[in-house]
Amino acid sequence: MCGGLVSPTIEATAPVERERLFHCKYFWLSRLHGDLPFTVGAPGVPTVLVCIEGTGRLDHGGAAYAAAKGDVLLLPAALGACMFPAARRGQGAGIGIPA
């Protein structure tokens, strides 16, 4: 069972600020914000990205996928890590589901 309320924990400050909001054996939730390119997703981990504020773009396999406030992107586990090269005052949430 997942625990109760937690305080955000800063996991990284560069290239974007990444805050861990929740982490248990079933899933983890992080908030990301910044203006610089960063990597999202991980090999073998399905990831859900939610654009909370601003705009951005996800690049994979030569294709670009735009993201704006309210958009949700599902990254299948087989996709692995992807680049989020452009964010404009972006803020998002990343939800990972461990295997």
Side-chain angles (χ1 to χ4, degrees), residues 9 19 31 70 79:
T9 302
E19 296 174 289
R31 180 172 45 207
L79 201 61

Side-chain angles (χ1 to χ4, degrees), residues 16 37 54-55 92 95:
V16 295
T55 60
I95 304 164

Side-chain angles (χ1 to χ4, degrees), residues 1-49:
M1 182 159 204
C2 293
L5 296 174
V6 295
S7 297
T9 302
I10 303 286
E11 293 184 314
T13 56
V16 295
E17 186 170 294
R18 184 180 306 258
E19 296 174 289
R20 180 178 16 172
L21 301 177
F22 193 85
H23 192 275
C24 73
K25 67 180 183 179
Y26 303 110
F27 69 95
W28 55 82
L29 173 64
S30 296
R31 180 172 45 207
L32 310 142
H33 43 95
D35 298 325
L36 299 174
F38 58 95
T39 302
V40 293
V45 178
T47 303
V48 178
L49 298 175

Side-chain angles (χ1 to χ4, degrees), residues 45-90:
V45 178
T47 303
V48 178
L49 298 175
V50 180
C51 186
I52 298 171
E53 195 172 306
T55 60
R57 188 180 82 230
L58 179 78
D59 286 351
H60 180 73
Y65 304 92
K69 184 177 179 177
D71 288 343
V72 177
L73 303 170
L74 172 63
L75 308 180
L79 201 61
C82 296
M83 194 63 175
F84 205 86
R88 186 168 178 208
R89 298 178 56 101

